[in-house]
Amino acid sequence: MKENVRIAVIGAGWWACESHIPHILKNPNAELVSVCRLGTNELEHLKKSYGIMHLTEDHREVYTQNPHGVVVASPHVLHFEHAITALENRCHVLLEKPMVTDTQQAKVLCNIVKESGKVLMTPYGLNYSNYMEKAADKVEEGCIGEIKHIVLHMSSALLDLFGGESDLDFARNHMYQPSPSTWSDPLRAGGYGWGQMSHALAALFFVTNLEPLDVNAITVKSPTGADYYDAAILRFSQGATGSISGAAGLPKHCPAQLELKLFGSEGMLLLDMEEGRERLQIRRFDQRDTIHPMAHGEAYGSYSTEESVNRFIKLCRGVKVRNCGDQIVGLKTIQVLDALYKSSATGGTVSCK
């Protein structure tokens, strides 16, 4: 029988306390051995709430507890430092999105992961849904041939989060509130691209093997200077083209949207995750179409932060399971986002390399 894995959490703020820590504690094959965050009062509160014995404000001290795996859920701009330190201490890493905030950082991280033999996973919840995995399988099987064009759109009801508001309805009953600077300060990788389009791009690069080449983008800014709306034209490997867009401006009563269309040499694939019109369809030129039935609420309803945590724990234990957000998916996602922001600032086309 495999031993339980020892897990440490770095950045025990809003999302880690709402998602990662409860899932780790619930998993019978994991032991939460250390938690790091700033604030002595907050650490004491975590100790009382979860019974965690080792708590620290210094992320380097979690390694005194000999963890096998580390969850990094710190602010976006600290992901690189915290992930590198975890890998240097020979730990597997569950690294929240965005993986990092710079293409060169992403390349360095990929090289270190390759050399170390350790697992890096970014928990893009939609990638671990049944239908995203099914779409990836169908594309790999060649069901639409060689991809020629993509259309990718995501929208969310998050004007308040990316606009810097501190009183957020969706987090009112959570242990901690999201830090406004993490989400709405453009100097700290705040904005819809880093915060939400990272999900959509990770879905694209999980489902396909496309390589991004260059980006031409425009954005519309929030009152804090972070992006509310993103629109971009991309070139990919294989001569493929694409358009991507993102919007924080859904009304609060509307379900989140993600739509991916892939047009290939033998047909097209449509994956629409919006509640009420969920669709996974493969339409072929030879009319041998495949329509996968999806129940109401089944697409976003299968979004699972717990599934990615549980798979990470299995990977730490040496169990072979699918990593739907590995470092390659992460690298391509960061290449596009880094180029998108640079293109928006300069008004020109920017290479993803």
Side-chain angles (χ1 to χ4, degrees), residues 86-291:
L87 290 166
E88 288 173 345
N89 281 273
R90 301 205 55 75
C91 292
H92 303 290
V93 184
L94 180 71
L95 179 56
E96 257 302 338
K97 57 85 187 165
M99 187 176 81
V100 289
T101 59
D102 175 86
T103 294
Q104 296 311 310
Q105 289 179 348
K107 290 180 178 179
V108 170
L109 199 56
C110 283
N111 289 334
I112 293 176
V113 170
K114 183 177 180 180
E115 292 169 0
S116 70
K118 295 299 180 180
V119 168
L120 186 143
M121 172 188 284
T122 299
Y124 310 103
L126 290 172
N127 281 19
Y128 295 87
S129 67
N130 177 34
Y131 292 100
M132 198 68 74
E133 292 193 75
K134 188 172 291 186
D137 291 340
K138 290 299 181 182
V139 171
E140 186 176 12
E141 291 167 10
C143 67
I144 62 169
E146 187 176 82
I147 296 171
K148 300 298 184 181
H149 185 71
I150 71 101
V151 177
L152 176 67
H153 172 75
M154 184 173 191
S155 48
S156 324
L158 292 173
L159 289 174
D160 48 2
L161 182 67
F162 297 108
E165 296 182 28
S166 57
D167 187 18
L168 303 169
D169 287 340
F170 68 85
R172 189 156 291 161
N173 297 320
H174 295 179
M175 181 178 291
Y176 298 112
Q177 295 293 298
S179 171
S181 67
T182 299
W183 300 98
S184 61
D185 183 351
L187 299 180
R188 292 179 61 80
Y192 195 82
W194 293 121
Q196 289 287 279
M197 284 301 290
S198 48
H199 280 294
L201 289 164
L204 169 65
F205 293 122
F206 170 58
V207 172
T208 78
N209 64 357
L210 293 174
E211 299 277 349
L213 299 180
D214 54 49
V215 178
N216 193 298
I218 56 176
T219 61
V220 176
K221 304 297 179 62
S222 79
T224 68
D227 51 306
Y228 267 160
Y229 303 100
D230 307 302
I233 301 298
L234 283 79
R235 286 194 313 120
F236 299 94
S237 56
Q238 304 176 181
T241 56
S243 64
I244 65 171
S245 65
L250 271 183
K252 284 295 183 183
H253 66 281
C254 295
Q257 302 171 353
L258 188 142
E259 185 177 59
L260 173 63
K261 295 179 180 179
L262 304 175
F263 298 87
S265 59
E266 297 181 26
M268 67 89 64
L269 179 146
L270 166 64
L271 177 59
D272 187 347
M273 306 287 278
E274 183 180 354
E275 182 180 342
R277 67 175 200 181
E278 298 94 334
R279 295 174 291 170
L280 174 55
Q281 301 178 355
I282 296 158
R283 303 285 191 174
R284 289 177 49 85
F285 296 143
D286 61 12
Q287 299 186 31
R288 297 189 326 196
D289 298 345
T290 305
I291 310 297

Side-chain angles (χ1 to χ4, degrees), residues 12-18 21 37-39 41-47 49-50 171-179:
W14 162 57
W15 191 237
C17 292
E18 188 63 24
I21 290 175
R37 65 156 295 143
L38 298 180
N41 291 337
E42 288 81 359
L43 288 175
E44 186 62 27
H45 182 54
L46 285 171
K47 182 177 182 180
S49 298
Y50 295 120
R172 189 156 291 161
N173 297 320
H174 295 179
M175 181 178 291
Y176 298 112
Q177 295 293 298
S179 171

